[in-house]
Amino acid sequence: MRELTKDDVLAAVKGGSVFASGGGGWVDHGLEIGGAALAVGKPKLVSVDELPDDAIILTCTAIGAPAGRDWQMLGKDYIKAVQLIIEKYEGKIVGVMTPQNGMSSTINGWLPAAALGLVVVDATGDIRAHPTGKMGSLGLSSNIEYETIQAVAGGKPEIGSYLELIVKGTVARTSNILRTASDMAGGFIAAARHPLPAKYIKEHAAIGGISIAIDLGRAIIEAEPFGPAHVLETITEKTGGRIIGTGKVRKKDVHYSGAFDIGTIEIESEENTYILHVMNEYMAVEDRGGKRYSTFPDVITTFSIETGQPVSVGNIEEGAEIAVFAIDKAKIPLSSSVKDPSVYPEVEEVLGIELYKYAFEEKKEINV
């Protein structure tokens, strides 16, 4: 157990931005929420092995799409969502965890932990960011015997969009309800969900996910004075990732629908045109001929050639010079969620491409 610091906040945002895979929130929001956590208390990061098997851990997150234009999530909304669970759950919540890393989502639980006297558990529902709650649900999405409880809070009271909602039921059904609530609240909303014992987290989460993001962030901070090229080299070396290709953003065709950002981004190089398939995050990279270069749950990130910083889907602009980067799933801890075939069909249907087949059924490696 150790106390999280201001340096940890910056490192978590920097490293989390790589694992954000084009989504995962916003840098400013992550710094703001992290700063608020340090202002109201002393959040502590603990290994799940430090907790007894029956200690109950809650997942803290935000649900929505960065392109939602009329949303509002304040620090108190993250706290309120956790409080709603605490009030209804018959048991003691000991700690919180995040379902994913990201520009702000690495820090999801730090503020409610600091405010409510909980610990931050060093585990993630998925090491990288993902579009649906089911993909970070620790393998519970297809379990109809498990009854979860989920809560959300957020929106703008001045325009009547503020919502608080608590739902119980299967993970699949309740996750769909909260996605609708997010859309009704303006496109993003704070959430808490899935009270689970530490024993289950140990067996099904991506263990050490927060520390991995912080360690990468520290390496990035040390590399930044030496320029963008050195930053990219450092990230590649630190993660074992690879640059798929570099080029200019030829076309961005991404639209907001039902609290998701959906579409494609085309990166044109001298040798090839890469198509990035987007559902909030980058889910696959292929070329015009259909050759697949990377597929979720690989980490897929776009970097600015000019700055060496990750660029989110929302900030990608046509004409920008971009590097497409990937970390193979074999080099990151995988949770039960991303191995669950049931979480893929709805995303595959929206994108019009196959994911699970490439991620887990095909064994061949693609060298680039």
Side-chain angles (χ1 to χ4, degrees), residues 311-326:
V311 184
S312 66
V313 170
N315 290 327
I316 285 278
E317 296 181 354
E318 292 181 2
E321 292 287 340
I322 295 295
V324 182
F325 170 85

Side-chain angles (χ1 to χ4, degrees), residues 13-341:
V13 170
K14 292 278 188 182
S17 294
V18 176
F19 293 111
S21 296
W26 308 264
V27 168
D28 290 347
H29 188 65
L31 295 173
E32 177 184 332
I33 296 301
L38 299 182
V40 303
K42 296 180 178 181
K44 295 178 176 60
L45 183 69
V46 304
S47 163
V48 69
D49 290 330
E50 297 178 71
L51 301 174
D53 282 351
D54 60 354
I56 301 300
I57 299 168
L58 193 64
T59 295
C60 296
T61 188
I63 301 171
R69 299 301 181 190
D70 211 16
W71 60 270
Q72 175 176 275
M73 277 190 308
L74 303 176
K76 65 180 183 180
D77 297 327
Y78 287 94
I79 297 170
K80 184 62 178 180
V82 174
Q83 288 176 321
L84 290 172
I85 298 289
I86 290 174
E87 291 168 5
K88 294 293 183 181
Y89 181 71
E90 296 179 0
K92 180 178 174 57
I93 307 294
V94 172
V96 295
M97 59 177 283
T98 182
Q100 62 181 35
N101 280 307
M103 294 182 173
S104 54
S105 53
T106 301
I107 296 176
N108 277 336
W110 297 19
L111 178 55
L116 301 174
L118 308 173
V119 295
V120 178
V121 179
D122 192 5
T124 56
D126 182 5
I127 195 76
R128 57 151 284 172
H130 49 260
T132 70
K134 299 165 192 174
M135 285 179 160
S137 63
L138 301 165
L140 292 169
S141 179
S142 59
N143 187 341
I144 62 173
E145 296 182 356
Y146 173 71
E147 181 184 73
T148 189
I149 178 171
Q150 302 200 52
V152 291
K156 293 182 177 180
E158 63 270 22
I159 63 172
S161 66
Y162 180 83
L163 288 173
E164 290 180 9
L165 178 68
I166 307 171
V167 292
K168 289 184 178 182
T170 64
V171 170
R173 296 291 185 180
T174 55
S175 294
N176 290 342
I177 291 169
L178 296 193
R179 177 65 60 173
T180 300
S182 172
D183 190 35
M184 294 176 68
F188 243 103
I189 202 163
R193 65 192 190 211
H194 309 335
L196 289 163
K199 184 177 188 297
Y200 189 90
I201 302 301
K202 293 174 187 178
E203 295 171 353
H204 295 277
I207 302 301
I210 301 298
S211 290
I212 291 170
I214 290 174
D215 289 345
L216 177 58
R218 288 174 178 159
I220 292 170
I221 293 168
E222 290 179 2
E224 285 177 334
F226 302 98
H230 187 66
V231 170
L232 289 176
E233 289 172 4
T234 298
I235 293 170
T236 301
E237 181 178 348
K238 182 78 174 176
T239 63
R242 69 189 192 278
I243 301 294
I244 293 175
T246 62
K248 185 174 293 187
V249 180
R250 178 182 176 275
K251 183 179 180 182
K252 178 181 179 180
D253 183 14
V254 177
H255 61 278
Y256 175 84
S257 177
F260 288 110
D261 293 334
I262 299 166
T264 57
I265 295 172
E266 296 184 14
I267 311 292
E268 188 173 60
S269 69
E270 292 182 1
E271 302 84 15
N272 210 342
T273 297
Y274 300 100
I275 300 171
L276 282 66
H277 293 272
V278 174
M279 187 171 178
N280 280 9
E281 288 81 25
Y282 300 121
M283 302 303 291
V285 183
E286 59 187 14
D287 62 21
R288 286 189 178 280
K291 180 179 178 180
R292 185 66 62 87
Y293 292 87
S294 188
T295 303
F296 176 93
D298 294 354
V299 176
I300 304 170
T301 307
T302 46
F303 288 91
S304 165
I305 296 297
E306 181 180 355
T307 67
Q309 299 299 312
V311 184
S312 66
V313 170
N315 290 327
I316 285 278
E317 296 181 354
E318 292 181 2
E321 292 287 340
I322 295 295
V324 182
F325 170 85
I327 306 171
D328 189 273
K329 66 182 182 295
K331 298 182 178 180
I332 54 177
L334 298 178
S335 69
S336 295
S337 306
V338 302
K339 300 174 187 175
D340 181 356

